[in-house]
Amino acid sequence: MANSKYEYVRAFERDEMLLPNTWIVVRVDGRGFHKLSNHYQFAKPNDQRALELMNAAAVHVVTTIPDMIIAYGVSDEFSFVFHRSTTLFERRAAKLVSTVVSTFTAAYVALWGTMFGGRSVGGTGKGDSGAAFSSAALVSTGPDLTMLPTFDGRAVCYPTWENLRDYLNWRQVDCHINNLYNTTFWAMVQQGGMTATAAEEELKGTVAADKNEILFSRFQINYNNEPDMYKKGSVVVRDYELVMAGAEKGRGNGNADDDDGEGERGQAVYALSKTQKEKDNKARQKAKVVVLHVDIIKDEFWDTRPWLKTGRP
Ligand code: DGT
Ligand code: MG
Ligand code: MG
Ligand code: MG
Ligand code: MG
């Protein structure tokens, strides 16, 4: 870059580098989705298309950012986890957060038509979904400009594996508690004909067993049979089993000596040669990115996917 007398202004720039050797979680959350979900008439409490659109956008983020090891989504939010060894963008907070948020948002809007095609499109505003068959609607398949989906984002560093697991546990427990409440509340309102205030009042102070009982005895709904996507949220990970089945050499070598303590593993990842890192990245790019609706609180999920912790494919 050419030097000029204006160059000194660079000295005002400040980069926040996220603490080294910590798990970085970037959480994106829909801005004003309470309003947006009404505008596009999302089904209550869960809109399958809206949730699948969130998942598709998250798959795009994980696919295009190889340093991402796992993502977990519920409602209008998604948490993206970078392995603690990542040196992406020199761990600059603003660059990491803005890249994740804009990659996610771009994908969400670009893929809108695959879930909502021909419904709330080509419209001019509120309640215009009836215009689905106008010629404009047939051309445009995106959300209307009066209510574009946008997302905010933040980065948090977790120093230990246990902290990271607890963070994800917190989100999945939140998903369960909110979904059980919302499922019961909307059954009482939509099927039971109660007012929102009356349903809210009755649900005050109830525990999970009470809500299960209300669902079952009044609405013949067995909560256990509700879709796993609603009950457990969505997990986005690379599935290396598929790579292994197809091509054994797709797995990086040198895994055997990574199996000692956790601390050593972290060191090992830092000490990887450039060619090893390139090999790992190739394996990541080859792996299939999958969406699962499973329990991530129990150890089983993690025990069967050791690469999530080691960061090595
Ligand atoms: P914010 O995040 O402070 O900008 O405000 P909101 O309105 O996005 O609030 P937040 O993120 O706490 O809550 C998420 C909202 O999105 C909540 O009002 C419910 C709505 N939402 C999320 N998923 C669905 C869905 O599948 N169906 C419906 N009907 N609403 C949903
Ligand atoms: Mg929020
Ligand atoms: Mg929100
Ligand atoms: Mg939210
Ligand atoms: Mg640039």
Side-chain angles (χ1 to χ4, degrees):
M1 204 192 287
N3 275 326
S4 78
K5 66 171 179 172
Y6 306 115
E7 185 91 2
Y8 77 95
V9 296
R10 256 179 176 284
F12 288 89
E13 293 183 11
R14 286 290 176 273
D15 282 323
E16 187 204 339
M17 311 294 204
L18 295 173
L19 207 63
N21 201 23
T22 54
W23 300 92
I24 300 171
V25 176
V26 174
R27 182 170 73 246
V28 306
D29 183 285
R31 187 169 162 251
F33 263 46
H34 179 71
K35 213 170 151 194
L36 185 131
S37 61
N38 286 330
H39 179 78
Y40 292 111
Q41 298 162 23
F42 286 4
K44 292 172 197 287
N46 294 294
D47 187 298
Q48 193 186 338
R49 301 159 308 169
L51 294 171
E52 281 175 0
L53 179 55
M54 291 290 290
N55 295 347
V59 166
H60 177 73
V61 172
V62 174
T63 306
T64 54
I65 305 179
D67 292 47
M68 201 73 84
I69 56 155
I70 187 170
Y72 176 74
V74 47
S75 182
D76 69 337
E77 67 168 62
F78 242 100
S79 299
F80 294 94
V81 183
F82 287 94
H83 193 268
R84 66 194 176 107
S85 68
T86 192
T87 51
L88 186 65
F89 306 144
E90 302 152 274
R91 299 174 74 97
R92 277 178 284 168
K95 189 140 175 162
L96 287 167
V97 173
S98 59
T99 299
V100 171
V101 174
S102 95
T103 306
F104 185 88
T105 307
Y108 188 94
V109 174
L111 294 168
W112 179 276
T114 65
M115 304 297 169
F116 292 102
R119 183 173 165 263
S120 50
V121 291
T124 49
K126 262 198 158 75
D128 203 32
S129 53
F133 299 105
S134 72
S135 56
L138 292 174
V139 176
S140 162
T141 53
D144 60 69
L145 282 172
T146 57
M147 182 91 41
L148 281 178
T150 56
F151 294 84
D152 65 37
R154 71 193 64 195
V156 181
C157 294
Y158 294 98
T160 68
W161 177 249
E162 196 195 358
N163 293 150
L164 175 68
R165 288 282 304 274
D166 284 344
Y167 169 79
L168 293 167
N169 293 349
W170 174 49
R171 296 326 300 142
Q172 192 164 47
V173 167
D174 220 55
C175 170
H176 167 72
I177 293 172
N178 289 336
N179 191 58
L180 179 58
Y181 182 94
N182 292 336
T183 304
T184 315
F185 175 86
W186 284 107
M188 292 162 87
V189 171
Q190 288 172 340
Q191 296 171 50
M194 290 175 77
T195 65
T197 320
E200 208 180 306
E201 194 56 40
E202 188 179 339
L203 285 174
K204 240 179 227 165
T206 57
V207 296
D210 303 325
K211 295 184 189 79
N212 275 304
E213 181 58 25
I214 292 173
L215 280 173
F216 195 72
S217 61
R218 287 192 221 167
F219 308 107
Q220 293 75 54
I221 296 172
N222 182 343
Y223 184 75
N224 289 329
N225 297 337
E226 288 292 292
D228 282 335
M229 179 162 72
Y230 304 166
K231 288 185 298 186
K232 299 194 171 86
S234 299
V235 185
V236 179
V237 281
R238 288 191 181 75
D239 204 333
Y240 289 106
E241 301 305 323
L242 297 180
V243 172
M244 266 176 81
E248 190 64 33
K249 61 182 183 301
R251 301 258 305 187
N253 53 15
N255 267 0
D257 51 2
D258 284 351
D259 283 332
D260 318 352
E262 186 195 342
E264 259 180 73
R265 258 184 221 146
Q267 297 301 323
V269 173
Y270 274 115
L272 287 180
S273 71
K274 209 176 155 196
T275 47
Q276 274 174 321
K277 277 188 182 170
E278 278 165 7
K279 257 190 194 164
D280 283 5
N281 265 344
K282 274 218 181 92
R284 285 185 190 128
Q285 278 155 18
K286 262 199 213 159
K288 190 165 170 45
V289 175
V290 295
V291 182
L292 310 167
H293 311 293
V294 296
D295 186 304
I296 57 170
I297 297 173
K298 292 196 199 92
D299 289 334
E300 194 207 341
F301 173 82
W302 305 94
D303 289 346
T304 52
R305 293 171 182 81
W307 58 84
L308 297 174
K309 189 174 179 184
T310 64
R312 298 294 312 278

